[in-house]
Amino acid sequence: MESLKNKFLPKEKFEEESKEVLSSWPTGAEVDREEAVEFHKNLPDDSCMVDKLTEADEAKKTLTQPRAGVALPDELIDLLGHLRTEGEADLLPVTIDSYTRQNQYEKAAQGIEESREEGRSLLNGFPAVNHGVEICRKVVEALDAPVQARHGTPDARLLAEITLAGGFTDFEGGGISYNIPYAKDVSLEKSLRDWQYVDRLVGFYQSQGVEINREPFGPLTGTLVPPAVSHSIAVLEGLLAAEQGVKHLTLGYGQNGNLVQDVAAVETLRVLARQFLDDEGYEDVSVTTVLHEWMGGFPQDEAKAFGVISWGASAAALANATKVIVKTPHEAEGIPSREANAAGLKTSNQIVSMLLDQSLEDSAGLEKEKDLIIREVEDILGRVKELGEGDWAAGTVRAFESGVLDVPFAPSRYNQSGILPARDNEGAVRYLEFGNLPLSADIQDFHEEKMKKRGEKEGRQPGFQMVTDDIYAIGKGRLTGRPRG
Amino acid sequence: MKEQNGNDGEQDDITVVLGVIGSDVHAIGNQILERALEENGIKPVNIGVMASQEEFVDAAIETDADAIWVSSLYGHGEIDCRGLREKLEERGIGDVIMYIGGNLVIGKKSWEEVEKLYLDMGFDRVYSSDTQPQEAIDDLREDLSAAGDVSGG
């Protein structure tokens, strides 16, 4: 493989690779991009994700979006229609099943067949590649809100070809965020390269006047991820996408639970993205934000689960996130019923509306927290750029090799897993171990001091038991995992 | 935390193969279980996420494991686990203790239905995703002493 560089893929190279991608499964033959451009141009305005996000951003509103996907198209349309009408979802997803995410289309085919036989979905999402372009279009045309592909696919080239030709107007993921938390053995060089193709494809549609939104996956492992870690990765994926011609980015963050830290995180994500995009000459790329409601373990009890959901919606609204990804009261049990999913949406919509005109802007501590996140991200990304000798793609690969970029609890062997996060005494996420994160000495002292304070309060040494307790805490009705008894 | 259940911190040569089956990448519970086993003096052989049935069987044979702990969080457990007990039998270790835990089906099913589904597949115990590691560790010691493999606590 040629060494990876953050450079726009030339047309000939892109077309050549397309042939290979589109012939890797029979439904690839259905893709005709010129015809797909026409299809997009004839779609009603309410199918366009970029329009909806831009409008909300200008009005400072927070839109709601669920996660949902089942094996068969009619059931999918029924499910999404229910979430739209009953749940009042502003934006719709199609969540893709885990076999498709690993390019195991034969297994997905088996899942489709067994789901038909049993009359219920045996897949945890919609196998869009197996169903193909025409069926994706049928789904899009049956709904009156924009549809986004949400998944977790390290090599999403074919999935992007099929869903974008199929009328989807938004595509989630990125070469880091859909590899490190979603795979074990895929090299970063490979996934970054494959995502250049996806971004280049979005850039193609964009160049033909079709507005497509791109959303790197913010929460990563969804478990005690410090804001600076996920922000650094979100900004990097934004830069890499912009180089391939993407014009509309939604950057994401997974709620950690401390309100001041969460609001500071969403606000700084926007500031940092703008700063780095402008510095690199991508002033024409728009940035919106998304907050993911609590991604960790949930309480079994539905009333308690609604409490967690409301807290996420509150953080999203107070931070002015452009949209919020909504959880459901059945979260503790795995994949929710459509009624539970709609209930989560209604809870979130209610809170978001109630907080529409409220702000935390002058709260004590918010500015301090924002400064901290910005300095941390600048430390990390500054080092990434040095490592890449100015090239963000090469820098990303070297940064993961050396632990300068590092995601807690990730399954990938291309991740050093040297950092260990835990909550401080106020429930904000700090670092117990820094691994090789290039944070300034005074920032490290700040985190150490915070952890020491919690240790004193709980009468124990800060350590892995604290982390385990934190991971189980929300399911047991608390944010911070204090010792029992 | 409970005390180490009569173990007095001694190694008693229990080996558990653990992993997340199928195309599932949920890594956090897997890492917590590994640490919990270690802290209880049990040897974990962690084959990690995205583990195939063959990897579980091979690891169990290579390490002469006392038990196999399968995790599945993403809902495809039903498809992924079918035939695992038969594979163990074919390879001559059909009597190894086998537990499963996680979010084990798609959609809402009663716990009794879920448990029966997996017991019928040949699992010895079935756990929901909010189970603390210590519960399964205590059960394992009990099951092993009942089987006469370990002198018991």
Side-chain angles (χ1 to χ4, degrees), chain A residues 150-397:
Chain A
R150 304 190 66 87
H151 45 123
T153 313
D155 176 2
R157 293 174 297 170
L158 182 58
L159 180 66
E161 289 278 12
I162 286 181
T163 52
L164 294 179
F168 290 32
T169 54
D170 196 351
F171 200 77
E172 193 190 30
I176 307 167
S177 63
Y178 269 5
N179 176 354
I180 299 297
Y182 281 101
K184 185 156 83 167
D185 288 323
V186 178
S187 84
L188 256 177
E189 245 175 306
K190 165 96 169 72
S191 62
L192 288 168
R193 179 61 185 75
D194 289 343
W195 277 85
Q196 284 183 331
Y197 179 97
V198 172
D199 287 326
R200 179 66 174 77
L201 178 65
V202 172
F204 162 79
Y205 281 105
Q206 195 67 46
S207 71
Q208 303 300 303
V210 177
E211 305 272 27
I212 304 284
N213 196 63
R214 275 279 292 115
E215 180 186 332
F217 177 62
L220 303 173
T221 51
T223 305
L224 301 175
V225 180
V229 169
S230 52
H231 282 21
S232 297
I233 290 168
V235 169
L236 279 169
E237 290 191 353
L239 291 170
L240 299 177
E243 175 62 24
Q244 301 302 326
V246 169
K247 297 294 178 200
H248 304 284
L249 289 168
T250 303
L251 300 189
Y253 166 75
Q255 179 196 18
N256 267 325
N258 172 293
L259 186 65
V260 170
Q261 185 175 42
D262 288 336
V263 171
V266 175
E267 290 184 357
T268 52
L269 183 52
R270 199 182 278 265
V271 171
L272 284 160
R274 194 68 276 153
Q275 178 186 323
F276 279 87
L277 285 166
D278 290 353
D279 281 356
E280 300 291 323
Y282 307 116
E283 289 96 344
D284 62 341
V285 173
S286 78
V287 177
T288 50
T289 54
V290 51
L291 180 134
H292 294 247
E293 291 177 0
W294 179 248
M295 297 285 284
F298 256 68
Q300 293 279 345
D301 182 277
E302 288 198 12
K304 290 181 181 177
F306 280 124
V308 178
I309 291 168
S310 302
W311 192 229
S314 305
L318 289 170
N320 253 320
T322 322
K323 69 173 183 178
V324 55
I325 302 289
V326 169
K327 284 284 188 170
T328 82
H330 290 176
E331 216 59 56
E333 299 151 33
I335 296 176
S337 69
R338 64 179 203 165
E339 287 76 19
N341 208 333
L345 278 161
K346 284 197 279 194
T347 303
S348 298
N349 275 316
Q350 176 73 18
I351 297 278
V352 161
S353 306
M354 285 168 65
L355 293 177
L356 182 62
D357 300 317
Q358 299 185 42
S359 151
L360 268 190
E361 222 22 74
D362 299 322
S363 299
L366 182 63
E367 283 311 311
K368 241 170 98 182
E369 200 65 43
K370 282 164 74 173
D371 288 344
L372 178 74
I373 294 171
I374 286 176
R375 282 193 54 207
E376 289 178 348
V377 172
E378 286 173 346
D379 281 351
I380 294 170
L381 289 183
R383 189 80 189 103
V384 173
K385 196 167 186 181
E386 268 173 41
L387 286 172
E389 294 158 57
D391 187 282
W392 292 107
T396 299
V397 173

Side-chain angles (χ1 to χ4, degrees), chain A residues 53-159:
Chain A
L53 291 170
T54 307
E55 211 177 281
D57 196 49
E58 281 164 6
K60 291 198 177 293
K61 268 181 67 178
T62 299
L63 304 176
T64 53
Q65 184 180 25
R67 290 191 183 80
V70 286
L72 303 176
D74 289 341
E75 285 74 5
L76 179 70
I77 291 168
D78 184 55
L79 168 62
L80 295 179
H82 183 83
L83 298 179
R84 177 89 177 112
T85 52
E86 183 57 31
E88 301 158 25
D90 296 305
L91 313 170
L92 292 173
V94 168
T95 299
I96 306 297
D97 72 287
S98 293
Y99 291 141
T100 302
R101 296 177 189 195
Q102 303 294 338
N103 311 96
Q104 296 170 335
Y105 308 123
E106 266 134 30
K107 276 184 141 173
Q110 182 197 341
I112 292 172
E113 202 174 304
E114 289 190 27
S115 302
R116 283 213 179 96
E117 280 164 16
E118 295 215 17
R120 67 187 172 104
S121 184
L122 280 115
L123 294 178
N124 62 1
F126 183 70
V129 168
N130 290 66
H131 287 306
V133 175
E134 287 313 313
I135 288 175
C136 286
R137 288 182 180 181
K138 191 178 145 198
V139 173
V140 167
E141 287 177 318
L143 300 162
D144 66 345
V147 174
Q148 177 190 36
R150 304 190 66 87
H151 45 123
T153 313
D155 176 2
R157 293 174 297 170
L158 182 58
L159 180 66

Side-chain angles (χ1 to χ4, degrees), chain A residues 99 104 120 124 184 223, chain B residues 23 28 49 74 76 78 80:
Chain A
Y99 291 141
Q104 296 170 335
R120 67 187 172 104
N124 62 1
K184 185 156 83 167
T223 305
Chain B
S23 301
I28 291 131
V49 301
Y74 72 152
H76 290 187
E78 239 182 299
D80 295 334

